[in-house]
Amino acid sequence: MDKEPLLEVKGLSKNFGGLKALDDVDLRVNSGFVVGLIGPNGSGKTTFFNVVTGVFHPNSGNVFFDGVDITRKPIHQISQLGIGRTFQHIDLFPMMSVLNNVVAGMLVKKSAGLIGWMNASSHYHENASELLTFVGLDEKEYMMAGELPYGDQRRLEVARSLATDPKLLLLDEPLAGMNPVEIRDFIDLIWKINSSGISVLLIEHNVRAVMSCCDPIHVFDYGQKIAEGSPEDLLQDEAVIRAYLGDEIPDDMVEELVEDHIEKTRGEQIC
Amino acid sequence: MNNPKLKWPSVWLFLPIVLIILPFFFHNQYILQIANLSSIYIILNLAMHLMMGEAGLINLGQAGFYGLGAYAAALLALEFNLPFPITFLAGGLISAFVGFVVALFSMKLKGLYFALISLSVAEIIRIITLVWMDVTRGPMGLPGIPRPKLFGYSFPSNNEPYFILMVILVLITYLTMYWIQHSNFGLALNTIRDSEHAAASLGINVFWNKTIAFVIGCFFTGLAGSFYAHFFTYVGPTFGWHQTMLVLTMSMLGALAGLPGAVMAAILLTTLPEILRPLAMYRQVFYGVLLIVLIIYGQSYLGQRLKRRLKVDRLQTQDLQKGGQNNG
Amino acid sequence: MFIQQLFNGIMQGGLYALLAVGFALLFGVLRLINFSHGSVFMLGAYLTYIFITNLHFPFLLAGLISIILSGFVGIVVERISVAPLRKRKMPFWLGMITTFGMALIIENLSVTIFGGSYRSFPTPIKMVGFEILGAHVTNIQLLTLGVAMLLMILLVLFTQYTWLGRAFRAVSQSEDTSSLMGINANLIVALGFFISGVLAGSAGILVAMYQNIVSVNMGLGVGLKGFFASVMGGIGSIPGAVLGGFLLGIIESLTSAYISADLKNVISFTALILVLMWRPMGLLGKEQL
């Protein structure tokens, strides 16, 4: 398991005015894993995503993806290299159909050159349909994206990002506002995506959910990475507990979480 | 979901055919003049629909490129005696080129700033046509532009042959816009219109797509301008922002309603002044009222309904063509 | 000669600044480009003219009444062309079109009511010219500049230091939050249009005084210039609008003198384009749109 990491971040720093949003962050995501990123509000998680995907330029540090230095590259180039993302506040194309939202994701990879660009976009409807079935939205292809219920909109965002054929998928707080059933289903979806060979980096507030599907997990606080490790390690780590969870978690909850996690990974060696 | 497919073709094919044949029935020069002018405005509106309705660009400077095309065609015909097909195309190409240059340094800015720059460019073009006496004869304009001459056939001052030419041109423009709308390029433009940020995150090169859409739009705008020059045989420095704000806003309304809407809006814009002639003094006031009413109430009713029906229909018919699945 | 041109530029600039400030106010609060600003500008001047010539009001009274009426016209504009958009949460750029519609209505109704010819505008005091630093200046010019500066200073003080001013800024940041704090956003918006109308009307009177001419067409290009000055100086920023206005006046004046009077608009528009390319938020602007 010592091959080169898929995503490697070294010494990343980002200031906004006087505010240090990211402070000398090092982070690795190895190929094939589902990695978690947790931390209190304002700890720099979304800023981290934004710098990695090219929305912001860092003040210092580097981002390497698949061996390529992508620091300061334009957003669309980074996407073309294989990083897909969803947004904290859903950013769909509301006036377009669900189907076309997914087709939009396919435009760049599938249409080659001038001829491809002038082709009818309906050619990709079949592929897009398949993706929608994959995320569980096959009944709703012709609805306007803006009309979907919240949980479905999240799924659509995922389908759209998957359409770009990414190697790494960045999910920004997808579980916000979901009930436990929806959360369970969405985590299953994440596992499904991972099984098909795509690595996932998940920002989430819902610590329990993150602990049940991610390994390793990175913890941010005040723009710095303060811890990294498996869920079991983190639960013992005092710094983490202090920063994020307030008091110590009762022991029985620790057990429950650890069992949850083992069950998830049983028989699924992802290395 | 009901299947509107059966209703659409009959209504939408019927109307344009009627509109095209109607002027011939009347043999009336006046009506033909209006028809020709409508056609020019239809092309302007279609160009605007591409830039604004598909790509989401706020182009406040269309008047400038329109005038640029007209003056370019006029000058090439008068000074260099170039034949009609060349001057005609040159109007479009020169506008497209200037549009390209403008886009190069302004397309990376946010929408509002691009709008302001396009407006400034149009004003600069207008002032230059007003002031550059040596070339453009300033306020006196350029009269005596030769009528179109195609394959040796010189168009007489009768309007009917013009109209045939115009209809062909409008059809070409419409088909081009329709093709773009259904292509991958068109879909990319739509994503840029709805959310540039999300579009970029999907790998779409926002800058170049917007630029190409703008250049194509300027090309057709310039084409409309060069046809104006040859049709009226005179161009003057009247392509100002105020007068053409009127054309512009009608275009914007047409842009919001989809391709057929753009056509309808243009026809409305040209026929309205004639219908309103008795109210001549209050005409502009009426425009103002119309603008406000249409914007506030038009979008919610017409725009949404039209948009939704068009999109649903488009997807369904393509699906049926493939013989694929469809949910009732 | 240079000093003279500079002075002319400053005089003209002061008036542009006053116009620009009216724009900046509305843009800052609402993200709205108010195309009817020029027509209210014209009304301010024309109404004063009517009050003096036809009703024989003294200058000051005529001016004050016109200014207040201009403010009310501003509110009318808001009620008809802006409030319905806000109520339906429609995108702000549609306001460009609806306020343009209002401009058409106001200007053309004025043409039919008042007629289109140029009239000479009465002056409140006898014109006296004198020399400052080698430039020829009249007391009228100084008066207009003085009044313009006074109004702008009042506005800056108002927005920075009064409770109402802070309410304005709250609404411009977030309508929802400010209404939670008890601020009636609709009232603030209407008030903004009133003040903007007052500023436009005052600018109209001052310009008419400065040029000695009034006509129903005077609003046409001027509104646009005021807006451009505001954008150049910093969109939504009031000090920026002041800077932009003065800058525009000086550029125009110097261009007229040293290059060509015809090209002064070309140069100023080019200056605007250059500023937008280099610093889209304007010279003093803080935020990206």
Side-chain angles (χ1 to χ4, degrees):
Chain A
M1 285 303 106
D2 264 315
K3 50 180 206 239
E4 215 174 278
L6 185 60
L7 178 72
E8 180 163 11
V9 170
K10 287 187 189 163
L12 205 63
S13 295
K14 176 66 185 169
N15 301 335
F16 291 112
L19 180 68
K20 264 204 157 148
L22 292 174
D23 193 358
D24 202 29
V25 172
D26 290 329
L27 195 146
R28 272 200 190 85
V29 175
N30 286 320
S31 188
F33 283 81
V34 177
V35 178
L37 182 54
I38 63 176
N41 275 327
S43 51
K45 311 189 295 288
T46 300
T47 310
F48 178 74
F49 265 18
N50 283 332
V51 173
V52 167
T53 53
V55 176
F56 297 138
H57 289 171
N59 293 91
S60 63
N62 291 78
V63 181
F64 297 92
F65 181 70
D66 218 6
V68 179
D69 186 344
I70 64 170
T71 337
R72 292 190 185 80
K73 276 200 189 296
I75 302 177
H76 65 273
Q77 268 186 33
I78 295 181
S79 162
Q80 287 169 13
L81 285 170
I83 301 184
R85 77 168 290 182
T86 64
F87 298 89
Q88 197 176 3
H89 307 292
I90 297 182
D91 201 357
L92 290 173
F93 306 122
M95 297 303 294
M96 287 163 56
S97 67
V98 167
L99 194 64
N100 273 338
N101 266 267
V102 178
V103 174
M106 296 178 167
L107 289 176
V108 176
K109 282 274 163 74
K110 294 235 160 61
S111 51
L114 191 62
I115 313 287
W117 218 225
M118 295 320 266
N119 261 340
S121 58
S122 52
H123 285 172
Y124 304 137
H125 280 183
E126 220 174 282
N127 295 2
S129 273
E130 283 169 15
L131 261 176
L132 284 172
T133 313
F134 183 80
V135 304
L137 285 176
D138 44 314
E139 295 294 306
K140 306 185 179 171
E141 286 178 0
Y142 297 111
M143 287 177 68
M144 284 288 158
E147 292 168 356
L148 286 179
Y150 179 78
D152 288 345
Q153 285 192 2
R154 287 273 181 214
R155 285 173 181 271
L156 179 56
E157 257 205 326
V158 172
R160 189 180 64 174
S161 316
L162 289 177
T164 64
D165 206 12
K167 297 180 189 140
L168 174 64
L169 185 61
L170 305 179
L171 299 172
D172 197 343
E173 301 204 23
L175 304 178
M178 286 189 183
N179 62 48
V181 175
E182 290 172 322
I183 292 179
R184 177 99 289 163
D185 288 340
F186 199 89
I187 293 183
D188 284 340
L189 177 61
I190 295 181
W191 280 113
K192 218 162 95 166
I193 293 173
N194 188 238
S195 310
S196 71
I198 300 173
S199 315
V200 176
L201 178 54
L202 171 69
I203 291 181
E204 243 313 315
H205 233 61
N206 184 331
V207 179
R208 203 191 151 127
V210 171
M211 297 225 167
S212 73
C213 69
C214 299
D215 189 353
I217 301 176
H218 303 264
V219 186
F220 275 30
D221 195 17
Y222 288 114
Q224 296 178 327
K225 194 177 89 172
I226 59 171
E228 167 186 351
S230 69
E232 299 89 343
D233 298 337
L234 288 180
L235 288 170
Q236 316 295 337
D237 190 321
E238 268 205 53
V240 173
I241 294 173
R242 226 182 299 123
Y244 203 6
L245 303 169
D247 310 322
E248 264 191 41
I249 317 180
D251 287 335
D252 49 346
M253 188 163 171
V254 174
E255 264 176 48
E256 207 184 316
L257 281 165
V258 171
E259 265 171 37
D260 237 353
H261 178 72
I262 294 179
E263 201 181 297
K264 267 295 162 195
T265 53
R266 182 175 302 158
E268 295 185 39
Q269 290 303 314
I270 323 164
C271 232
Chain B
M1 221 179 300
N2 66 344
N3 190 345
K5 184 190 181 222
L6 292 168
K7 288 194 209 139
W8 270 134
S10 35
V11 170
W12 284 110
L13 279 182
F14 181 62
L15 206 53
I17 293 179
V18 164
L19 285 173
I20 292 177
I21 297 191
L22 208 55
F24 290 104
F25 269 121
F26 283 97
H27 280 294
N28 182 333
Q29 287 304 305
Y30 177 67
I31 291 191
L32 277 171
Q33 170 122 351
I34 306 245
N36 276 319
L37 196 57
S38 291
S39 312
I40 295 181
Y41 278 149
I42 289 177
I43 296 179
L44 280 180
N45 259 19
L46 287 175
M48 191 52 143
H49 178 266
L50 174 67
M51 295 186 281
M52 183 150 164
E54 303 287 345
L57 296 168
I58 307 177
N59 178 13
L60 296 180
Q62 202 192 24
F65 293 94
Y66 182 44
L68 191 60
Y71 267 90
L75 286 170
L76 287 175
L78 289 171
E79 299 291 320
F80 300 103
N81 285 318
L82 293 176
F84 171 70
I86 296 190
T87 60
F88 176 63
L89 281 174
L93 289 171
I94 291 179
S95 279
F97 177 71
V98 173
F100 179 67
V101 171
V102 170
L104 275 183
F105 59 74
S106 60
M107 205 54 94
K108 51 178 151 33
L109 302 173
K110 292 242 173 81
L112 173 69
Y113 303 122
F114 174 75
L116 292 175
I117 290 187
S118 64
L119 186 55
S120 310
V121 168
E123 265 299 282
I124 292 177
I125 293 176
R126 181 183 73 87
I127 295 174
I128 291 179
T129 60
L130 195 58
V131 161
W132 202 6
M133 296 290 289
D134 294 339
V135 174
T136 66
R137 289 169 34 109
M140 297 186 287
L142 298 169
I145 303 170
R147 299 192 167 275
K149 214 158 131 166
L150 265 187
F151 311 119
Y153 169 72
S154 186
F155 282 71
S157 44
N158 179 324
N159 286 327
E160 266 173 44
Y162 270 110
F163 188 59
I164 299 176
L165 192 61
M166 272 323 308
V167 168
I168 297 176
L169 193 65
V170 168
L171 277 175
I172 294 177
T173 312
Y174 191 91
L175 287 172
T176 307
M177 296 306 170
Y178 187 82
W179 181 28
I180 292 179
Q181 191 179 58
H182 290 258
S183 71
N184 289 328
F185 176 51
L187 193 61
L189 291 178
N190 289 347
T191 62
I192 294 174
R193 174 198 64 198
D194 283 359
S195 168
E196 280 191 28
H197 205 196
S201 77
L202 296 178
I204 294 172
N205 189 328
V206 173
F207 176 81
W208 278 113
N209 278 291
K210 287 205 288 190
T211 299
I212 293 174
F214 185 63
V215 168
I216 296 177
C218 287
F219 174 72
F220 282 101
T221 302
L223 227 50
S226 56
F227 206 82
Y228 174 96
H230 285 285
F231 180 61
F232 287 102
T233 69
Y234 168 79
V235 291
T238 55
F239 301 97
W241 80 273
H242 194 259
Q243 183 230 17
T244 352
M245 263 309 245
L246 220 54
V247 181
L248 195 73
T249 44
M250 274 293 180
S251 295
M252 285 193 199
L253 291 173
L256 294 170
L259 278 179
V263 174
M264 288 300 150
I267 297 178
L268 204 70
L269 173 65
T270 11
T271 51
L272 216 52
E274 306 306 317
I275 299 174
L276 291 178
R277 235 176 235 282
L279 292 169
M281 273 202 306
Y282 295 99
R283 209 173 63 196
Q284 302 263 13
V285 178
F286 183 74
Y287 278 155
V289 174
L290 194 65
L291 271 181
I292 296 178
V293 167
L294 278 177
I295 289 279
I296 294 177
Y297 299 105
Q299 252 216 325
S300 41
Y301 178 71
L302 187 69
Q304 300 291 54
R305 271 195 74 200
L306 212 53
K307 251 186 166 165
R308 192 166 307 177
R309 289 198 76 183
L310 284 174
K311 285 211 157 63
V312 167
D313 173 64
R314 176 154 65 106
L315 289 167
Q316 280 194 322
T317 50
Q318 283 169 341
D319 209 57
L320 284 166
Q321 280 163 18
K322 275 178 19 228
Q325 83 284 29
N326 192 8
N327 30 1
Chain C
M1 172 67 161
F2 176 73
I3 305 279
Q4 176 75 58
Q5 296 308 325
L6 199 60
F7 264 54
N8 288 349
I10 295 179
M11 298 292 162
Q12 185 82 311
L15 296 170
Y16 280 143
L18 190 57
L19 274 172
V21 149
F23 261 117
L25 186 66
L26 284 179
F27 194 88
V29 171
L30 277 185
R31 294 277 171 277
L32 175 78
I33 299 174
N34 178 11
F35 271 127
S36 66
H37 204 75
S39 14
V40 179
F41 163 87
M42 178 273 292
L43 274 183
Y46 220 94
L47 286 175
T48 312
Y49 170 79
I50 301 274
F51 287 144
I52 297 181
T53 359
N54 295 3
L55 296 177
H56 303 292
F57 284 2
F59 190 94
L60 212 53
L61 186 64
L64 279 173
I65 298 183
S66 305
I67 290 178
I68 297 181
L69 282 180
S70 304
F72 280 112
V73 172
I75 295 188
V76 167
V77 167
E78 190 263 333
R79 288 282 99 197
I80 298 181
S81 62
V82 175
L85 290 182
R86 277 168 29 91
K87 202 166 66 162
R88 292 170 175 72
K89 304 238 188 264
M90 294 169 98
F92 74 91
W93 55 265
L94 286 177
M96 274 200 291
I97 305 180
T98 52
T99 51
F100 179 72
M102 286 304 299
L104 282 181
I105 295 176
I106 296 177
E107 280 170 14
N108 289 288
L109 277 180
S110 305
V111 171
T112 48
I113 298 178
F114 301 131
S117 49
Y118 287 74
R119 318 282 173 116
S120 95
F121 193 78
T123 50
I125 52 184
K126 224 167 156 69
M127 176 140 75
V128 176
F130 41 94
E131 301 266 318
I132 300 183
L133 297 179
H136 182 261
V137 168
T138 70
N139 57 346
I140 304 253
Q141 287 178 325
L142 286 178
L143 180 64
T144 56
L145 185 64
V147 174
M149 302 270 349
L150 181 66
L151 287 172
M152 289 189 277
I153 292 175
L154 282 177
L155 186 71
V156 172
L157 288 176
F158 169 79
T159 49
Q160 296 286 66
Y161 295 113
T162 68
W163 174 86
L164 214 50
R166 265 177 275 137
F168 265 85
R169 274 178 286 150
V171 171
S172 73
Q173 301 271 358
S174 159
E175 253 186 67
D176 297 324
T177 322
S178 48
S179 52
L180 281 177
M181 292 187 341
I183 300 177
N184 184 341
N186 289 333
L187 198 61
I188 297 288
V189 170
L191 194 61
F193 268 87
F194 180 80
I195 297 179
S196 174
V198 162
L199 289 171
S202 323
I205 298 175
L206 291 175
V207 167
M209 240 166 55
Y210 183 80
Q211 293 179 334
N212 266 95
I213 293 183
V214 66
S215 93
V216 289
N217 294 317
M218 60 193 283
L220 280 184
V222 162
L224 191 66
K225 284 214 187 137
F227 175 57
F228 272 25
S230 150
V231 169
M232 191 159 67
I235 208 155
S237 143
I238 289 177
V242 175
L243 176 65
F246 277 112
L247 216 56
L248 186 63
I250 295 177
I251 292 177
E252 278 197 2
S253 180
L254 292 178
T255 314
S256 299
Y258 293 116
I259 305 179
S260 148
D262 293 325
L263 288 181
K264 69 178 183 200
N265 282 348
V266 171
I267 301 289
S268 27
F269 283 138
T270 312
L272 176 68
I273 294 179
L274 290 173
V275 169
L276 282 180
M277 275 167 57
W278 166 55
R279 249 183 93 89
M281 70 283 283
L283 295 169
L284 291 184
K286 286 153 279 176
E287 39 150 315
Q288 277 272 12
L289 249 195

